[in-house]
Amino acid sequence: MYKKDFLLNDNIYLLNHSVGRPLKNTEQQFKRHFMDHWQHTSSEPWPQWMTAIDRYNSALGTLFNNDGANFCPQVNLSSALTKLVMSVDRLQQPHTKILMSEADFPSMGFVMQRALASTASITYIPSQLDVTDPNVWAEYLNETIDLVFISHAYSNTGQQAPLNDILSIARQHQVLSIIDVAQSAGIMPLDLSVTRPDFMIGSCVKWLCGGPGSSYLWVNPTQITSCHPQDVGWFSHQQPFEFDIHDFRERNSALKFWGGTPSIMPYVISANSIEYFARLGTETLRQHNQTLLDMLANAFPGQLVSPQQIPQRNGTAILHFGAQQAEVLSALSAHKISVDNRLHGMRISPHIYNDETEIQQLIDVIKSV
Ligand SMILES: Cc1ncc(COP(=O)(O)O)c(C=O)c1O
């Protein structure tokens, strides 16, 4: 029923942990909110473009049930994390301590290794430990830690972090928290007004189907005065059009992280797709996704590497067929079924535009090998 809204071809596309498929009206939205002004007037397009950014922030606000004013558009998560880490005094001390996991996306570790003082320390929860278990986090999370970095969803293992448990331990020890929602935004419900991390970074390229280039940094209003970005520009200024080189005054909102002249196109495209998914509701998206993952879990219980239990699962199922893995992958490819293969097995990520018939086809192809 939702298939007709998306740009799909005759493949069965299950790579939403990597890049989501665009909505069919993307081009029309791009023309209307980016090109039209250029085509039909000769005045400056910035007012129209700024409206597109407001729309993007407010769509994010709706998706995550929080004020759109607490979001700042960013190019990608790595850059957002660099800006954030460099902006907080507590994170720039010689002995700042960070807790993260070896299962986090490597780029997040690269940023920490560069953006902190060279004498700061990073503890990684070893990849063989179960990051879905709050007790594992409790063992590492204590008052000596300054910041805990939590991936909401781990795409190589199909696991989700017990966000609320970790954040409650962090608050108990007055540890700052940042969550990475790159792999969960648009497929796993998250209510920021309830979950209340200190910071959040995410993008729109995967389950939000907004293409590359539109990411975001969310700052809890309680933290805004403790952030003083180093990477700034005139869009970070309280009065961008003041133009006094001697008077930089950062904004009082998350937009202090904005920087110089922003890009607009990626946010036009993503505002439209975020609104689409927010209208459907993340609970509906999650339920549909989990129903399809259940089909896989039931068909291949012995080959399922990702969690069996729904509360530990994210939107991706991981299957490994041992010595037959390569054969299974080439059979899927021959039948135009798009999955990929990583460290722990093949990743299968069904979205709202996939259906039970497609998953049954995938199951049949694998069983025929
Ligand atoms: C959990 C997670 N974080 C971050 C990223 C990407 O970060 P960036 O936007 O800096 O490329 C990915 C990309 O796959 C990811 O899966």
Side-chain angles (χ1 to χ4, degrees):
M1 148 186 181
Y2 300 103
K3 233 186 217 343
K4 65 175 184 352
D5 295 337
F6 291 86
L7 205 56
L8 298 160
N9 48 34
D10 59 351
N11 271 44
I12 296 179
Y13 188 84
L14 296 162
L15 294 170
N16 295 291
H17 51 264
S18 179
V19 176
R21 301 293 303 185
L23 282 160
K24 276 188 188 157
N25 68 359
T26 299
E27 223 173 303
Q28 171 235 326
Q29 286 280 319
F30 163 69
K31 284 194 180 127
R32 184 155 146 221
H33 298 285
F34 188 73
M35 293 301 293
D36 261 14
H37 193 91
W38 263 340
Q39 256 153 5
H40 303 300
T41 77
S42 47
S43 62
E44 238 202 16
W46 279 109
Q48 190 202 15
W49 290 347
M50 287 300 105
T51 308
I53 298 292
D54 288 344
R55 184 180 162 205
Y56 175 76
N57 287 342
S58 105
L60 286 168
T62 308
L63 186 75
F64 292 107
N65 191 32
N66 204 259
D67 189 345
N70 297 325
F71 288 87
C72 182
Q74 296 290 310
V75 174
N76 53 48
L77 283 92
S78 307
S79 168
L81 184 60
T82 304
K83 289 183 182 190
L84 177 76
V85 166
M86 293 183 72
S87 79
V88 179
D89 221 27
R90 181 171 172 191
L91 305 179
Q92 286 300 309
Q93 300 307 308
H95 300 295
T96 294
K97 282 181 108 174
I98 307 289
L99 176 64
M100 56 195 303
S101 159
E102 276 181 338
D104 291 322
F105 192 71
S107 199
M108 306 295 100
F110 303 157
V111 166
M112 292 294 191
Q113 290 151 30
R114 286 295 170 103
L116 298 166
S118 58
T119 46
S121 70
I122 307 171
T123 302
Y124 301 92
I125 296 180
S127 53
Q128 63 273 20
L129 295 187
D130 181 4
V131 282
T132 68
D133 181 356
N135 294 320
V136 165
W137 291 87
E139 232 175 87
Y140 285 84
L141 197 45
N142 55 47
E143 64 289 345
T144 68
I145 305 288
D146 293 292
L147 173 78
V148 58
F149 181 98
I150 314 157
S151 298
H152 190 191
Y154 300 89
S155 79
N156 285 340
T157 61
Q159 294 170 306
Q160 69 164 290
L163 266 194
N164 290 322
D165 294 310
I166 305 167
L167 291 172
S168 128
I169 308 168
R171 276 192 282 271
Q172 217 173 300
H173 296 299
Q174 299 185 338
V175 174
L176 291 171
S177 55
I178 179 162
I179 61 178
D180 167 346
V181 296
Q183 286 290 350
S184 64
I187 197 66
M188 292 165 65
L190 175 60
D191 183 335
L192 280 174
S193 305
V194 173
T195 301
R196 294 182 296 117
D198 292 306
F199 309 103
M200 180 179 91
I201 49 177
S203 63
C204 301
V205 64
K206 302 173 188 295
W207 301 91
L208 285 173
C209 301
S214 51
S215 295
Y216 39 91
L217 166 64
W218 176 85
V219 182
N220 190 318
T222 59
Q223 292 298 334
I224 203 72
T225 54
S226 62
C227 301
H228 303 293
Q230 305 297 303
D231 179 344
V232 294
W234 61 304
F235 277 72
S236 307
H237 197 292
Q238 276 178 27
Q239 307 278 340
F241 294 94
E242 187 182 271
F243 295 131
D244 175 356
I245 200 167
H246 299 293
D247 184 33
F248 176 67
R249 282 172 289 120
E250 67 185 27
R251 294 188 195 239
N252 299 319
S253 71
L255 289 183
K256 63 170 76 174
F257 285 99
W258 210 353
T261 308
S263 60
I264 301 296
M265 283 186 285
Y267 305 105
V268 165
I269 293 169
S270 290
N272 178 49
S273 65
I274 300 165
E275 281 172 2
Y276 178 92
F277 289 117
R279 263 194 311 273
L280 282 183
T282 328
E283 292 290 352
T284 304
L285 297 162
R286 166 87 174 158
Q287 206 169 20
H288 177 76
N289 163 269
Q290 291 299 306
T291 302
L292 300 185
L293 293 196
D294 274 342
M295 289 176 69
L296 295 170
N298 294 334
F300 305 111
Q303 288 77 31
L304 186 72
V305 178
S306 49
Q308 286 278 356
Q309 303 302 319
I310 290 179
Q312 274 102 52
R313 285 187 201 160
N314 63 36
T316 301
I318 318 280
L319 294 176
H320 205 295
F321 294 89
Q324 282 182 297
Q325 186 80 343
E327 207 183 329
V328 169
L329 284 167
S330 52
L332 290 173
S333 165
H335 286 84
K336 296 186 164 186
I337 300 177
S338 305
V339 301
D340 64 15
N341 197 49
R342 285 289 185 279
L343 190 64
H344 300 287
M346 73 180 69
R347 303 190 292 182
I348 305 169
S349 301
H351 211 334
I352 199 73
Y353 44 73
N354 299 113
D355 55 28
E356 294 184 11
T357 313
E358 291 181 337
I359 299 300
Q360 192 54 51
Q361 253 175 282
L362 174 141
I363 293 171
D364 294 343
V365 169
I366 295 176
K367 288 199 164 160
S368 73
V369 172

